[in-house]
Amino acid sequence: MTELLAPTPHDIDRAASLLRAGQLVAFPTETVYGLGGDATSDLAVARIFDAKGRPRFNPLIVHLPSLAAAETYAVFNPAARALAAAFWPGPLTLVLPLKEPSRLSPLVTAGLDTVAIRIPAHPVAQALLAAFGGPLAAPSANPSGRVSPTRAFHVTDGLAGRIAAVIDGGPCAVGVESTIVALDPAPAILRPGGLPVEALEAALGKPVLVGGNAARPTSPGQLASHYAPSASLRLNAETARQGEVLVGFGAVKGDLTLSATGDPVEAAAALFHTLREADLRAGPHGQIAFAPVPETGLGRAINDRLRRAAAPRGV
Ligand code: AMP
Ligand code: MG
């Protein structure tokens, strides 16, 4: 059952211990309610995608308490620093180069070498981040495809029984998602939101591109990040052909496995690490075969990611 928590020190400690145990807690921010999970835990992040029923592993926003904390996870150039100084804490998300090696789960960044970071202003979000003491991955706390929640009861309407707890912090003041800005090569808004473009342009002293941008990871080519295997992939394989590294699932054993018990949440948590390990084992111009993963629950997102990884490169 989903616990309904109050924004008191006692209940915030309870929420932080649930998060430390890899459970999911929805919490208020000034934009909308976020569905928080430990951003360093593969399993916690896989549970976020599972609870929301997301059909794709799109990257999630990492929530941190301060610019100092953000600088341990991402590389800031002068433009990023200017925007952080002007608008953090607040409804601005910056997409920045990931600082490697990273403690963040590769599921949070969808295997990209950039990371989306926000410093929320809401006192309950800040108190939770302080009590938890680490980065929280947090998309909006609604089932995929539904409207973002701005009240605690909106969260329970959609996710009751699917998450450990929700902290009721009353209505969200901004009521729409954060504005997402990428800075490489030029400032561009990847998603309009609570911070207006005019405010960004005033802080940067130059125009900001709105809409379609190469930084947005949509096409298979753009997803060919440092986690995309160099080996070629064959999907729905029951057995290995000669020279192939077989990645199993459930009854199909393989040289490696996404989940020996056929658990899609465990498989999602293992996906990026296993892709990398299979690629290493296969060697240059090698071949990887993947056992079939059923199109149910997180299986859909796993298959989506595998189809992209198997798609021809350079598109
Ligand atoms: P949500 O967490 O549901 O509010 O949505 C996060 C949004 O941020 C999605 O539209 C992502 O595509 C975008 N995003 C997150 N990380 C990145 C990244 N590294 N590069 C580009 N876009 C990102
Ligand atoms: Mg959302």
Side-chain angles (χ1 to χ4, degrees), residues 52 54 58-61 93 95-96 108-109 112 114-116 138-140 177 180 190-191 215-217:
K52 285 180 65 82
R54 273 205 176 169
N58 42 356
L60 304 178
I61 298 171
T93 295
V95 173
L96 302 166
V108 171
T109 56
L112 297 166
T114 53
V115 58
S140 55
E177 287 87 349
I180 304 180
L190 305 187
R191 177 182 74 189
R216 191 161 206 159

Side-chain angles (χ1 to χ4, degrees), residues 95-185:
V95 173
L96 302 166
L98 189 63
K99 202 174 248 184
E100 310 255 20
S102 185
R103 290 173 55 230
L104 299 175
S105 165
L107 266 188
V108 171
T109 56
L112 297 166
D113 50 16
T114 53
V115 58
I117 295 184
R118 186 163 100 79
I119 313 298
H122 197 291
V124 175
Q126 279 287 340
L128 182 64
L129 284 164
F132 175 61
L136 286 178
S140 55
N142 52 281
S144 184
R146 302 254 300 266
V147 181
S148 293
T150 55
R151 305 278 190 284
F153 78 84
H154 297 167
V155 177
T156 46
D157 268 1
L159 296 176
R162 302 184 63 82
I163 63 176
V166 52
I167 307 174
D168 188 348
C172 301
V174 175
V176 294
E177 287 87 349
S178 61
T179 300
I180 304 180
V181 176
L183 294 163
D184 190 22

Side-chain angles (χ1 to χ4, degrees), residues 234-304:
R234 185 168 69 86
L235 306 185
N236 297 312
E238 303 277 353
T239 54
R241 294 181 187 155
Q242 195 180 355
E244 279 182 340
V245 173
L246 178 64
V247 179
F249 178 86
V252 178
K253 292 293 169 237
D255 305 295
L256 296 161
T257 185
L258 287 177
S259 168
T261 57
D263 172 2
V265 178
E266 184 181 56
L271 181 61
F272 287 103
H273 301 284
T274 308
L275 267 171
R276 176 170 270 195
E277 174 63 22
D279 201 30
L280 282 174
R281 290 200 193 185
H285 313 294
Q287 303 274 345
I288 305 171
F290 267 86
V293 177
E295 283 277 325
T296 53
L298 277 188
R300 282 189 302 155
I302 293 169
N303 287 325
D304 171 77

